[in-house]
Structures are given as C-alpha cells and as structure tokens.
Amino acid sequence: MGGLLRSTAVFSSLTMVSRVLGFIRDMVFANLFGAAAATDAFFVAFKIPNFLRRLFAEGAFSQAFVPVLTEYKTLRDKAEVRLLVADVSGTLGALLLLLTLLAVAGAPMLTTLFAPGWAVDKPESFALAAEMLRITFPYLLFISLTALAAGVMNTYGHFAIPAVTPVWLNLVLIGCAFWLAPLFETPVMGLAWGVFFAGVVQLLFQLPTLARMGMLARPRWAWRNEGVQRIMKLMLPGIFGSSVAQINLLLDTIIASFLVSGSVSWLYYSDRLVEFPLGVFGIALATVILPSLSQRHAEADPHRFSRTLDWALRWVLLIGAPAMLGLILLAGPIITTLYQHGAFSLEDVEMSRLSLMAYAVGLPGFILVKVLAPGFYARQDTRTPVRFGVYAMVSNMLLNIAFVVPMAMAGIKGPHAGLALATGLAAFINAGMLFHRLRKDGVYHAEQGWAAFALRIIIANGVMVAFLWWGGDGLQQWIDWQVMERVWRLAGLIVGAVVIYLVALLLLGIRPRQMLGRMD
C-alpha cells in the first residue's frame, strides 16, 4: 500500500496547489463580480460544460477507459496500447466535436434545460447565459481530450502532470478577470472567453508528456475497433452511475433558478469549498486506486483487490470525518475570510454559509461514492452503479421537495440550503448501496480492527470539535475584523485543529505506519 499512498500524496499535493489557486480565483470573482444576476448567468454557462466534463470525461469515460487500457497494458504489447489510444482519441474527439457544434447552435435550448426559471421570469439572465454558453461549451471538447491523456498517464503511474494541469484553468481565469473582462461592456463575458482559452491551454500542456511516453499517436476514427466498442459500451451506463453527485448538484441549480437572485452563486461558492477536500483527497484517492484495482482484477487477485478497497475506506474515515466537521463549524469564518470583500455583501456571506454547512454534511458520502465506484468499474461492471445512481437521484428529488418547498412556502430564510442538504443525503444513500453490494457479492471483506479504528477516530474528532467550539467566535465578530485579522485567526484555528486531531490519534494508538497505509 506504500506505493498507492505515495501516488495519492503526489496527486493530492499537486491538486491542493490547483485548489488553492481555485480559492484565489473565486475570491477574485466574488470581489469583482459579487453574486449578482450577471454572475449567476456566467456560473450557469460554465456549469453546463463543466458538468458534462465530470459526467463524460472525468466520470464515465475515465472509469471505462482506464480498466480497458490497463488490461491492454497488462496483456498486450505497447504497439497495441498506442493503437488503442489513437483509435479512442479520434473517435471520442469526432463525437465531441459534433456534440459541441450542436450545443453551440442550440445554446438557448440548453440554457432552458439547465435554468428553466430564467426562461420564465429572468429574460436578461437567460439571454446572457445562452450567449456565454456558445463560448464556454467548446471547453468540453478540449478538457475531455485532456482527460484521455490523463488516463493514459495515470495507467502508467504518472500522476503529477494530470494533477497539476487544472492549475492552468485557474491561472487563465484569474488573468481574464483582471485584464480581459474590463474590455467588455458586460465584464463577465471575459470570464466566458477565459473558460475557452483554459481548455486549449490544459490540452496543450499534456501533449509533451504523452510524446515522451511514446503515446502521442495521431487520432483516427475507429468506431468498430474492439477496444473502442468495449469502452463505449461501458461508458453508456457509466455516464449516469459515475456522476450522480454532479447530476444532483445540477438539479440544485435548476431549482435554484426559481429562487431569488443570488441562489445559484451562493450554491456555487459553497460547493467550491466542499470541492476542496473532495478534490484534494477524495478524487485523488479514487484516481490512484482505479488503475491498481484494475490491475488486481486483470491478475485475478481478489484478496489484494479487497485489501486495496479496505485501505481506501480507512482513509475516507480518517480524513473525511474531520473535514466534514471542520467545514460545518468554520463555515462562517471561511466564507467571510475568503469572499466578504468588494461586491460580496453580508447577505451573501450568510446565505453561502448556510449552503456550505448543508453541503458539508454530505462530504463523507461524496468521498465514499468516489472510492467505492472504482470497485465496480475496475471489474468493468457499470450497470450496478447506474441502478443505484437512479435510486439516489430519485431520493435527491424527493428530499428537495421535502426540504425546499416547505421552507419557501413558510418564508424560512435560505431555502437553497435545503437543496444542498438533499444532495448530501442522497450521496450517503448512493454510497450505502454501493458498499452493501460489494459486501454482498463478496468483492469486499473488511480487514480486522475496524471497530477499534472507528472508535479512535470518533474520539479524536470529538477532541477536535471541542477545540473549534472553544476557539471560534460569532459570525459578526469575523465580519468586524479586518482581512489580515481574519486570515491569521482562521489559519490558527485550522492548524490548531489539525495538530490536535493528529496528536489525539497518536495518543489513542493509531501509529504513523497505519496512517501511511502499511496496515498489513
């Protein structure tokens, strides 16, 4: 497990650089554009290709492509692997180019689908979002090919370049916010062009590494290729099953379009904060274990397959639980410190805080889905996650109705937070079904020591919560402080919580060798 941890650490550390830049990007957005109607329109125009990116490129495609590529790498020679890469890139690129052309032509229809409330009573926001969508949608083509390149590198154990690639998205968007946006009559149009340019830059950044690996093959159309057919067949159900959380977040945006202006932005800013631990840890862990699980399956080694899942699940509890509690308890200070500047109002702080707390409840569920789903995709089983994904999505819709409608009718403040809570609970439902099926099918067998391990984690988290409760201040106090005062106090709370949590783990008997993954 030491190799897996090293790979996870590399991926996580580089992803953290990207996420920190992402926070800076969002701080720039909040300061320059606030949570106004035009900002809502940009977030919808960006969310549509970004949603499809996670659905197709980093979701269904990666989950289908990596196991098949790993099988080719294990059982065939390099020439056949290179040919598969050429065939997949050509076929995928052609299909995505056609989809992009259709989406650009039908941008108003897509906007109606993703933000129906605006088509009814916010025509200016609707028209602006549709106009920007024509610029942002090609991002899907570029980033999907980037994901293909990343899948090749991950299969061969090269995790650094794929992990650092998203840095370019943040750098380009920050640059466009400062220097391109002011050139437009509607400044957020500059951000839309930033999304387009960022897709091109990220793809170009991957190509030299592929060339050094000998995997930069000329794309070609090969729909009937056996490997391409297998990947496409695995993708079709995986499109839904691998990205239920994203579909649920999209449903939040659709319903939020019927709520007051600012709701889409509040959900965006709070979701971005939850994405930090999810990306740095959850997605990094899932990305690293998928090739390993695929290798174990190709080698017909079910025992090591199960042990890899067990190792990953322990890390989910070790990191996911304190991350959830920290986000809930520090929601107000984090939102205030990062975003409460310039155009971001006090109401925006309060509304974003509510949705962040609600999203944070589901953080362990989001991570569990990311970690458990590879247990199916590595075995080239995409149907089971689809079925469970349908159940989770239906649950999310029912919970949305149960939470949001009564809140809106009763005039309770922040009904958008009900959307966030429903999404988090639906993630737990999805994770529970995936876990139960892996146990039922005998794919996963829990290693010894889980009860004692979980008890120690619970106690350590209790100590950390006591510290944060004692050291925290009221939201109004954070609002009254100057920027640097907020920064130093928030940094002190976070560092103190991490140190106390780690010390508590050590005192409770969880040794570094266990935390480093050498639990065998």
Side-chain angles (χ1 to χ4, degrees), residues 187-368:
V188 291
M189 289 293 297
L191 299 183
W193 281 108
V195 172
F196 180 93
F197 296 140
V200 176
V201 171
Q202 288 179 93
L203 176 59
L204 294 177
F205 180 68
Q206 304 268 31
L207 300 185
T209 302
L210 276 186
R212 287 193 296 270
M213 294 172 57
M215 287 293 164
L216 186 58
R218 177 180 296 179
R220 66 177 197 172
W221 173 263
W223 175 258
R224 297 188 181 280
N225 175 278
E226 179 266 342
V228 173
Q229 286 286 310
R230 286 174 56 195
I231 292 168
M232 293 298 176
K233 287 178 182 178
L234 290 171
M235 275 186 67
L236 289 177
I239 285 172
F240 196 90
S242 65
S243 300
V244 169
Q246 297 307 316
I247 293 174
N248 288 336
L249 290 172
L250 182 61
L251 290 174
D252 292 350
T253 301
I254 293 173
I255 297 174
S257 71
F258 291 95
L259 302 178
V260 298
S261 293
S263 295
V264 172
S265 296
W266 299 329
L267 288 169
Y268 168 83
Y269 287 120
S270 52
D271 173 49
R272 288 284 298 162
L273 288 165
V274 173
E275 284 283 339
F276 181 78
L278 180 60
V280 169
F281 173 68
I283 295 176
L285 186 59
T287 301
V288 168
I289 67 169
L290 178 59
S292 178
L293 290 172
S294 301
Q295 184 82 22
R296 304 294 171 249
H297 179 68
E299 294 170 348
D301 191 344
H303 176 64
R304 294 181 70 188
F305 190 103
S306 175
R307 287 185 63 250
T308 300
L309 276 177
D310 189 87
W311 173 84
L313 289 173
R314 290 180 188 244
W315 270 98
V316 172
L317 183 61
L318 191 71
I319 302 297
M324 173 192 70
L325 295 170
L327 282 174
I328 292 173
L329 292 170
L330 297 177
I334 291 172
I335 292 289
T336 305
T337 302
L338 292 179
Y339 301 137
Q340 206 268 305
H341 316 283
F344 204 82
S345 68
L346 297 180
E347 182 186 11
D348 296 332
V349 170
E350 177 61 23
M351 293 298 100
S352 300
R353 182 183 73 91
L354 292 175
S355 49
L356 174 56
M357 294 172 68
Y359 272 142
V361 170
L363 177 61
F366 297 141
I367 299 176
L368 280 170

Side-chain angles (χ1 to χ4, degrees), residues 132-160:
M132 286 192 288
L133 181 59
R134 291 192 171 98
I135 302 170
T136 61
F137 198 91
Y139 177 76
L140 174 63
L141 170 63
F142 302 130
I143 205 63
S144 296
L145 294 176
T146 301
L148 185 150
V152 175
M153 287 183 248
N154 291 340
T155 300
Y156 281 86
H158 301 289
F159 295 101

Side-chain angles (χ1 to χ4, degrees), residues 19-89:
R19 297 292 175 169
V20 169
L21 277 172
F23 283 146
I24 297 173
R25 179 192 86 191
D26 291 340
M27 291 170 67
V28 171
F29 287 179
N31 185 56
L32 297 180
F33 307 105
T39 315
D40 279 0
F42 166 71
F43 286 144
V44 168
F46 184 31
K47 185 180 287 285
I48 293 173
N50 208 37
F51 161 75
L52 293 173
R53 167 183 70 89
R54 293 176 177 177
L55 194 66
F56 291 110
E58 296 172 359
F61 174 74
S62 293
Q63 303 286 12
F65 178 58
V66 171
V68 174
L69 186 67
T70 301
E71 182 182 309
Y72 270 60
K73 172 177 170 284
T74 304
L75 304 177
R76 308 192 188 193
D77 59 35
K78 188 171 183 177
E80 290 183 271
V81 177
R82 178 184 168 90
L83 187 61
L84 176 67
V85 173
D87 292 345
V88 173
S89 61

Side-chain angles (χ1 to χ4, degrees), residues 322 325 329 455-469 500-501 504 508:
L325 295 170
L329 292 170
L455 179 61
R456 291 165 180 165
I457 296 296
I458 292 171
I459 295 173
N461 275 284
V463 175
M464 184 196 73
V465 166
F467 166 76
L468 290 176
W469 190 270
I500 286 174
Y501 180 64
L508 290 166

